[in-house]
Amino acid sequence: MKKTGKRILVTGGYGFMGSNFVRFLYEKYPLYQIFNFDALTYAGNTDNLQDIEHAEVRRPLSGRRYVFLKGDISDTRSVASIFATHTFDAVVHLAAESHVDRSIHSVVDFIRTNVEGTRILLDAAREQGVPRLIHLSTDEVYGNVLKGFSKENAPLNPSNPYAASKAAGDFLVQSYVRTHRFPAIIVRPSNNYGPYQYPEKLIPLGITNLLEGKKIPIHGNGAHVRSWLHTEDFCSALDIILHKAPVGEIYNIDGVHLTNLEILGLVAGHLGKKISRHIIFTPDRPGADMRYAPDASKLKRDLGWKPKHNPRTAVPFVVDWYLKNDIWWRKIRQTQAFNDQYQKQSRGRWG
Ligand code: NAD
Protein backbone atom coordinates (compact mmCIF):
# COMPACT_ATOMS: atom_id res chain seq x y z
CA MET A 1 0.00 0.00 0.00
CA LYS A 2 1.39 3.43 -0.97
CA LYS A 3 1.90 5.84 1.91
CA THR A 4 0.61 9.09 0.38
CA GLY A 5 -2.78 10.55 1.21
CA LYS A 6 -4.50 7.39 2.47
CA ARG A 7 -7.88 7.30 4.14
CA ILE A 8 -7.85 4.75 6.96
CA LEU A 9 -10.91 3.65 8.91
CA VAL A 10 -10.03 2.47 12.42
CA THR A 11 -12.82 0.82 14.42
CA GLY A 12 -12.56 1.02 18.21
CA GLY A 13 -10.12 3.93 18.03
CA TYR A 14 -11.10 5.24 21.46
CA GLY A 15 -10.08 2.01 23.21
CA PHE A 16 -6.66 1.11 24.58
CA MET A 17 -4.90 -0.28 21.51
CA GLY A 18 -7.06 1.67 19.05
CA SER A 19 -6.12 5.04 20.55
CA ASN A 20 -2.43 4.10 20.65
CA PHE A 21 -2.61 3.08 16.99
CA VAL A 22 -4.56 6.18 15.88
CA ARG A 23 -1.88 8.35 17.56
CA PHE A 24 0.89 6.28 15.94
CA LEU A 25 -0.62 6.76 12.45
CA TYR A 26 -1.38 10.43 13.08
CA GLU A 27 2.21 11.17 14.09
CA LYS A 28 3.93 9.01 11.48
CA TYR A 29 1.83 9.80 8.39
CA PRO A 30 0.98 13.52 8.13
CA LEU A 31 -0.78 12.95 4.80
CA TYR A 32 -3.18 10.32 6.09
CA GLN A 33 -6.77 10.98 7.06
CA ILE A 34 -7.83 8.77 9.96
CA PHE A 35 -11.48 8.00 10.65
CA ASN A 36 -12.29 6.59 14.08
CA PHE A 37 -15.56 4.63 14.18
CA ASP A 38 -16.39 3.90 17.81
CA ALA A 39 -19.57 3.26 19.81
CA LEU A 40 -18.04 4.67 23.02
CA THR A 41 -18.89 1.71 25.21
CA TYR A 42 -17.62 1.71 28.81
CA ALA A 43 -14.14 0.96 27.34
CA GLY A 44 -14.16 3.78 24.79
CA ASN A 45 -12.84 7.07 26.14
CA THR A 46 -12.59 10.35 24.23
CA ASP A 47 -9.90 11.48 26.73
CA ASN A 48 -7.61 8.92 25.05
CA LEU A 49 -7.24 11.14 21.96
CA GLN A 50 -7.76 14.56 23.51
CA ASP A 51 -4.34 15.81 22.32
CA ILE A 52 -5.19 15.00 18.70
CA GLU A 53 -8.67 16.47 18.99
CA HIS A 54 -7.24 19.74 20.33
CA ALA A 55 -4.74 19.91 17.47
CA GLU A 56 -7.48 19.21 14.91
CA VAL A 57 -9.94 21.84 16.17
CA ARG A 58 -7.67 24.52 14.70
CA ARG A 59 -7.91 23.06 11.20
CA PRO A 60 -10.73 23.81 8.76
CA LEU A 61 -13.27 20.95 8.62
CA SER A 62 -12.26 20.05 5.06
CA GLY A 63 -8.60 19.61 6.02
CA ARG A 64 -9.01 17.52 9.18
CA ARG A 65 -6.60 14.63 9.50
CA TYR A 66 -8.61 12.96 12.25
CA VAL A 67 -12.38 12.47 12.16
CA PHE A 68 -14.52 10.78 14.82
CA LEU A 69 -17.59 8.93 13.55
CA LYS A 70 -19.77 7.76 16.42
CA GLY A 71 -21.49 4.48 15.72
CA ASP A 72 -21.90 0.83 16.50
CA ILE A 73 -20.46 -1.85 14.21
CA SER A 74 -23.38 -4.12 15.04
CA ASP A 75 -25.83 -1.53 13.66
CA THR A 76 -26.16 -2.22 9.92
CA ARG A 77 -27.56 1.21 9.12
CA SER A 78 -24.88 3.08 11.00
CA VAL A 79 -22.11 1.11 9.27
CA ALA A 80 -23.78 1.48 5.86
CA SER A 81 -24.05 5.25 6.26
CA ILE A 82 -20.31 5.55 7.00
CA PHE A 83 -19.43 3.56 3.89
CA ALA A 84 -21.97 5.52 1.82
CA THR A 85 -20.32 8.82 2.84
CA HIS A 86 -16.62 7.90 2.71
CA THR A 87 -14.32 5.65 0.72
CA PHE A 88 -11.43 4.00 2.50
CA ASP A 89 -8.04 2.71 1.37
CA ALA A 90 -7.92 0.39 4.37
CA VAL A 91 -9.95 -0.65 7.39
CA VAL A 92 -8.24 -1.61 10.67
CA HIS A 93 -10.82 -3.41 12.78
CA LEU A 94 -10.08 -3.22 16.50
CA ALA A 95 -13.58 -2.60 17.93
CA ALA A 96 -14.51 -5.39 20.30
CA GLU A 97 -15.70 -6.36 23.72
CA SER A 98 -12.31 -7.29 25.14
CA HIS A 99 -12.48 -8.28 28.81
CA VAL A 100 -12.50 -12.04 29.51
CA ASP A 101 -13.96 -11.61 33.02
CA ARG A 102 -16.99 -9.74 31.67
CA SER A 103 -17.57 -12.45 29.03
CA ILE A 104 -17.88 -15.03 31.81
CA HIS A 105 -20.68 -13.00 33.42
CA SER A 106 -22.49 -12.42 30.10
CA VAL A 107 -21.45 -13.14 26.53
CA VAL A 108 -24.32 -11.28 24.84
CA ASP A 109 -22.38 -8.11 23.94
CA PHE A 110 -19.38 -10.19 22.87
CA ILE A 111 -21.40 -12.10 20.29
CA ARG A 112 -23.14 -8.92 19.14
CA THR A 113 -19.94 -6.93 18.61
CA ASN A 114 -17.17 -9.48 18.02
CA VAL A 115 -19.18 -11.78 15.74
CA GLU A 116 -22.20 -9.97 14.29
CA GLY A 117 -20.44 -6.57 14.26
CA THR A 118 -17.49 -8.12 12.42
CA ARG A 119 -19.89 -9.68 9.91
CA ILE A 120 -21.62 -6.34 9.29
CA LEU A 121 -18.30 -4.56 8.83
CA LEU A 122 -17.02 -7.25 6.46
CA ASP A 123 -20.16 -7.03 4.32
CA ALA A 124 -20.02 -3.22 4.13
CA ALA A 125 -16.31 -3.26 3.28
CA ARG A 126 -16.86 -5.96 0.65
CA GLU A 127 -19.70 -4.04 -0.94
CA GLN A 128 -17.55 -0.92 -1.20
CA GLY A 129 -14.59 -2.91 -2.53
CA VAL A 130 -12.23 -1.80 0.23
CA PRO A 131 -8.78 -2.94 -0.94
CA ARG A 132 -7.52 -4.03 2.50
CA LEU A 133 -8.98 -4.91 5.89
CA ILE A 134 -6.86 -5.78 8.91
CA HIS A 135 -8.82 -7.82 11.45
CA LEU A 136 -7.68 -7.87 15.08
CA SER A 137 -7.93 -11.34 16.53
CA THR A 138 -5.98 -12.48 19.61
CA ASP A 139 -3.52 -15.15 20.80
CA GLU A 140 -6.32 -16.35 23.11
CA VAL A 141 -7.96 -18.11 20.14
CA TYR A 142 -5.28 -20.85 20.39
CA GLY A 143 -6.42 -21.71 23.91
CA ASN A 144 -4.20 -23.19 26.60
CA VAL A 145 -0.68 -23.94 25.28
CA LEU A 146 1.22 -25.63 28.10
CA LYS A 147 4.27 -26.46 25.97
CA GLY A 148 5.74 -25.19 22.74
CA PHE A 149 4.46 -22.29 20.63
CA SER A 150 1.43 -21.60 18.42
CA LYS A 151 2.16 -20.89 14.78
CA GLU A 152 -0.53 -19.24 12.66
CA ASN A 153 -1.72 -22.60 11.30
CA ALA A 154 -2.28 -24.12 14.77
CA PRO A 155 -5.87 -25.17 15.46
CA LEU A 156 -8.07 -22.64 17.25
CA ASN A 157 -9.20 -23.97 20.61
CA PRO A 158 -10.72 -21.12 22.66
CA SER A 159 -11.37 -21.71 26.36
CA ASN A 160 -13.45 -18.72 27.45
CA PRO A 161 -16.47 -16.95 25.90
CA TYR A 162 -14.39 -13.89 24.91
CA ALA A 163 -11.87 -16.07 23.08
CA ALA A 164 -14.69 -18.07 21.47
CA SER A 165 -16.28 -14.86 20.14
CA LYS A 166 -12.90 -13.73 18.79
CA ALA A 167 -12.32 -17.15 17.20
CA ALA A 168 -15.74 -16.90 15.54
CA GLY A 169 -14.82 -13.47 14.12
CA ASP A 170 -11.43 -14.82 13.03
CA PHE A 171 -13.05 -17.81 11.24
CA LEU A 172 -15.59 -15.53 9.57
CA VAL A 173 -12.80 -13.37 8.16
CA GLN A 174 -10.93 -16.50 6.96
CA SER A 175 -14.12 -17.69 5.26
CA TYR A 176 -14.56 -14.32 3.46
CA VAL A 177 -10.95 -14.53 2.25
CA ARG A 178 -11.53 -18.02 0.82
CA THR A 179 -15.11 -17.72 -0.41
CA HIS A 180 -15.21 -14.12 -1.61
CA ARG A 181 -11.48 -13.50 -2.14
CA PHE A 182 -11.96 -10.66 0.30
CA PRO A 183 -8.62 -8.84 0.88
CA ALA A 184 -8.30 -9.30 4.64
CA ILE A 185 -5.31 -9.95 6.87
CA ILE A 186 -5.72 -11.41 10.36
CA VAL A 187 -3.53 -10.32 13.25
CA ARG A 188 -3.26 -12.27 16.52
CA PRO A 189 -1.42 -10.21 19.13
CA SER A 190 -0.56 -11.26 22.67
CA ASN A 191 -1.31 -9.33 25.90
CA ASN A 192 -0.58 -5.65 25.39
CA TYR A 193 0.57 -3.20 28.05
CA GLY A 194 1.08 0.55 27.86
CA PRO A 195 -0.63 3.91 28.38
CA TYR A 196 -4.43 4.36 28.19
CA GLN A 197 -5.34 0.78 29.19
CA TYR A 198 -8.69 0.57 30.97
CA PRO A 199 -7.91 -0.12 34.64
CA GLU A 200 -9.87 -3.39 34.86
CA LYS A 201 -6.97 -5.12 33.04
CA LEU A 202 -4.13 -6.65 35.08
CA ILE A 203 -1.31 -4.11 34.78
CA PRO A 204 -3.30 -0.84 35.11
CA LEU A 205 -5.45 -2.48 37.82
CA GLY A 206 -2.27 -3.35 39.69
CA ILE A 207 -0.75 0.11 39.28
CA THR A 208 -3.90 2.02 40.22
CA ASN A 209 -4.77 -0.22 43.17
CA LEU A 210 -1.27 0.23 44.58
CA LEU A 211 -1.52 3.99 44.10
CA GLU A 212 -4.86 3.97 45.92
CA GLY A 213 -3.34 1.91 48.75
CA LYS A 214 -5.40 -1.20 47.91
CA LYS A 215 -4.35 -4.80 47.48
CA ILE A 216 -4.36 -6.26 43.97
CA PRO A 217 -6.82 -9.11 43.34
CA ILE A 218 -5.10 -11.81 41.30
CA HIS A 219 -6.85 -14.82 39.80
CA GLY A 220 -5.79 -18.28 40.98
CA ASN A 221 -2.15 -18.56 41.99
CA GLY A 222 -0.84 -15.90 39.59
CA ALA A 223 1.31 -18.45 37.73
CA HIS A 224 -0.45 -17.93 34.37
CA VAL A 225 2.10 -17.15 31.68
CA ARG A 226 1.39 -14.39 29.17
CA SER A 227 3.45 -13.01 26.31
CA TRP A 228 3.70 -9.30 27.25
CA LEU A 229 3.76 -6.93 24.28
CA HIS A 230 4.32 -3.17 24.62
CA THR A 231 1.76 -1.09 22.67
CA GLU A 232 4.59 0.67 20.79
CA ASP A 233 5.78 -2.71 19.50
CA PHE A 234 2.18 -3.65 18.70
CA CYS A 235 1.78 -0.41 16.71
CA SER A 236 5.01 -0.92 14.78
CA ALA A 237 3.90 -4.48 13.91
CA LEU A 238 0.45 -3.32 12.81
CA ASP A 239 2.04 -0.54 10.74
CA ILE A 240 4.19 -3.06 8.86
CA ILE A 241 1.24 -5.41 8.38
CA LEU A 242 -1.01 -2.59 7.17
CA HIS A 243 1.51 -1.47 4.56
CA LYS A 244 3.40 -4.61 3.55
CA ALA A 245 1.52 -7.82 4.32
CA PRO A 246 0.08 -9.80 1.43
CA VAL A 247 -3.71 -10.12 1.71
CA GLY A 248 -5.05 -13.45 2.95
CA GLU A 249 -2.21 -13.91 5.46
CA ILE A 250 -2.38 -14.35 9.24
CA TYR A 251 0.28 -12.97 11.61
CA ASN A 252 0.94 -13.56 15.29
CA ILE A 253 2.50 -10.72 17.30
CA ASP A 254 4.33 -11.79 20.44
CA GLY A 255 6.04 -10.29 23.46
CA VAL A 256 8.07 -11.53 26.43
CA HIS A 257 6.91 -14.44 28.61
CA LEU A 258 6.27 -13.63 32.27
CA THR A 259 3.73 -14.86 34.79
CA ASN A 260 1.02 -12.51 36.05
CA LEU A 261 2.81 -12.42 39.42
CA GLU A 262 6.12 -11.57 37.78
CA ILE A 263 4.66 -8.68 35.78
CA LEU A 264 2.94 -7.31 38.90
CA GLY A 265 6.26 -7.73 40.72
CA LEU A 266 7.82 -5.30 38.20
CA VAL A 267 5.00 -2.81 38.86
CA ALA A 268 5.32 -3.08 42.63
CA GLY A 269 9.13 -2.97 42.51
CA HIS A 270 9.08 0.33 40.65
CA LEU A 271 6.79 1.77 43.32
CA GLY A 272 9.15 0.57 46.05
CA LYS A 273 6.82 -2.19 47.25
CA LYS A 274 7.12 -5.95 47.67
CA ILE A 275 4.41 -7.62 45.60
CA SER A 276 3.78 -10.47 48.09
CA ARG A 277 2.47 -7.93 50.64
CA HIS A 278 0.04 -6.32 48.20
CA ILE A 279 -1.93 -9.12 46.56
CA ILE A 280 -5.07 -11.07 47.35
CA PHE A 281 -5.53 -14.40 45.59
CA THR A 282 -9.10 -14.89 44.30
CA PRO A 283 -10.79 -18.01 42.86
CA ASP A 284 -9.45 -18.52 39.35
CA ARG A 285 -11.50 -17.86 36.24
CA PRO A 286 -13.36 -20.99 35.19
CA GLY A 287 -11.71 -22.14 31.96
CA ALA A 288 -8.54 -20.17 32.76
CA ASP A 289 -5.67 -20.73 30.34
CA MET A 290 -2.31 -21.25 32.06
CA ARG A 291 -0.15 -20.20 29.13
CA TYR A 292 -0.34 -18.42 25.77
CA ALA A 293 2.64 -18.69 23.47
CA PRO A 294 2.14 -17.24 20.00
CA ASP A 295 5.11 -17.66 17.66
CA ALA A 296 5.72 -14.44 15.69
CA SER A 297 8.69 -15.68 13.65
CA LYS A 298 6.64 -15.30 10.42
CA LEU A 299 6.16 -11.57 11.06
CA LYS A 300 9.84 -11.13 11.95
CA ARG A 301 11.19 -13.21 9.07
CA ASP A 302 8.82 -12.21 6.24
CA LEU A 303 8.08 -8.58 7.11
CA GLY A 304 11.13 -7.62 9.20
CA TRP A 305 9.32 -6.66 12.43
CA LYS A 306 11.75 -5.90 15.27
CA PRO A 307 10.20 -5.30 18.71
CA LYS A 308 12.09 -2.83 20.91
CA HIS A 309 10.70 -3.33 24.39
CA ASN A 310 11.16 -5.77 27.25
CA PRO A 311 8.76 -5.47 30.21
CA ARG A 312 11.68 -5.56 32.64
CA THR A 313 12.80 -2.16 31.39
CA ALA A 314 9.51 -0.85 29.90
CA VAL A 315 7.07 -1.47 32.79
CA PRO A 316 8.63 1.28 34.98
CA PHE A 317 7.94 3.84 32.22
CA VAL A 318 4.36 2.59 31.93
CA VAL A 319 3.93 2.91 35.72
CA ASP A 320 5.28 6.47 35.45
CA TRP A 321 2.67 7.25 32.77
CA TYR A 322 -0.15 6.23 35.15
CA LEU A 323 1.51 8.24 37.95
CA LYS A 324 1.56 11.35 35.74
CA ASN A 325 -1.91 10.81 34.33
CA ASP A 326 -3.81 10.08 37.52
CA ILE A 327 -6.73 12.34 36.49
CA TRP A 328 -7.26 10.04 33.49
CA TRP A 329 -7.62 6.82 35.51
CA ARG A 330 -9.24 8.32 38.63
CA LYS A 331 -12.11 9.53 36.44
CA ILE A 332 -12.65 5.99 35.11
CA ARG A 333 -12.39 4.40 38.54
CA GLN A 334 -15.23 6.60 39.76
CA THR A 335 -17.67 5.27 37.16
CA GLN A 336 -20.34 2.69 37.84
CA ALA A 337 -19.17 0.62 34.86
CA PHE A 338 -15.78 0.21 36.53
CA ASN A 339 -17.06 -0.33 40.05
CA ASP A 340 -19.76 -2.88 39.20
CA GLN A 341 -17.17 -5.03 37.45
CA TYR A 342 -14.55 -4.46 40.16
CA GLN A 343 -16.90 -5.78 42.85
CA LYS A 344 -17.19 -9.11 41.02
CA GLN A 345 -13.62 -9.30 39.73
CA SER A 346 -11.94 -8.47 43.04
CA ARG A 347 -13.78 -11.30 44.78
CA GLY A 348 -13.46 -13.81 41.96
CA ARG A 349 -17.23 -14.17 41.71
CA TRP A 350 -18.05 -16.02 38.54
CA GLY A 351 -21.68 -17.04 39.10
P1 NAD B 1 -10.74 -1.98 24.46
O1 NAD B 1 -11.79 -2.74 25.19
O2 NAD B 1 -9.78 -1.13 25.24
O3 NAD B 1 -11.43 -1.03 23.39
C1 NAD B 1 -12.48 -1.45 22.56
C2 NAD B 1 -12.99 -0.24 21.79
O4 NAD B 1 -14.01 -0.72 20.89
C3 NAD B 1 -13.63 0.83 22.67
O5 NAD B 1 -13.25 2.11 22.23
C4 NAD B 1 -15.13 0.62 22.46
O6 NAD B 1 -15.89 1.79 22.64
C5 NAD B 1 -15.15 0.11 21.03
N1 NAD B 1 -16.33 -0.71 20.75
C6 NAD B 1 -16.80 -1.77 21.47
N2 NAD B 1 -17.91 -2.26 20.91
C7 NAD B 1 -18.15 -1.51 19.80
C8 NAD B 1 -19.16 -1.56 18.80
N3 NAD B 1 -20.15 -2.45 18.84
N4 NAD B 1 -19.08 -0.66 17.79
C9 NAD B 1 -18.07 0.26 17.74
N5 NAD B 1 -17.12 0.34 18.67
C10 NAD B 1 -17.15 -0.53 19.70
O7 NAD B 1 -9.96 -3.05 23.58
P2 NAD B 1 -8.38 -3.18 23.29
O8 NAD B 1 -7.73 -3.80 24.47
O9 NAD B 1 -7.87 -1.90 22.77
O10 NAD B 1 -8.38 -4.27 22.14
C11 NAD B 1 -8.48 -3.88 20.76
C12 NAD B 1 -8.58 -5.11 19.89
O11 NAD B 1 -7.43 -5.93 20.04
C13 NAD B 1 -9.77 -6.01 20.22
O12 NAD B 1 -10.25 -6.56 19.01
C14 NAD B 1 -9.17 -7.10 21.09
O13 NAD B 1 -9.92 -8.29 21.03
C15 NAD B 1 -7.80 -7.25 20.47
N6 NAD B 1 -6.73 -7.70 21.36
C16 NAD B 1 -6.47 -7.04 22.54
C17 NAD B 1 -5.40 -7.45 23.33
C18 NAD B 1 -5.02 -6.70 24.59
O14 NAD B 1 -4.06 -7.09 25.26
N7 NAD B 1 -5.69 -5.62 24.95
C19 NAD B 1 -4.62 -8.55 22.94
C20 NAD B 1 -4.93 -9.21 21.74
C21 NAD B 1 -5.97 -8.77 20.96
Side-chain angles (χ1 to χ4, degrees), residues 6-18:
K6 296 289 169 197
R7 296 156 67 85
I8 314 286
L9 175 67
V10 176
T11 69
Y14 275 128
F16 162 49
M17 286 154 68

Side-chain angles (χ1 to χ4, degrees), residues 65 79 106 111 124 155 169 178 187 191 213 236 245 268 281-282 292 297 312 327 330:
R65 292 178 46 216
V79 174
S106 169
I111 301 298
R178 289 188 207 146
V187 180
N191 273 45
S236 71
F281 292 106
T282 64
Y292 297 129
S297 50
R312 291 187 178 83
I327 294 174
R330 283 188 200 281

Side-chain angles (χ1 to χ4, degrees), residues 83 121-130 133 176 179-183:
F83 280 85
L121 190 72
L122 284 173
D123 282 342
R126 195 163 87 84
E127 198 174 315
Q128 182 177 100
V130 166
L133 181 143
Y176 272 51
T179 304
H180 301 301
R181 299 193 175 279
F182 181 73

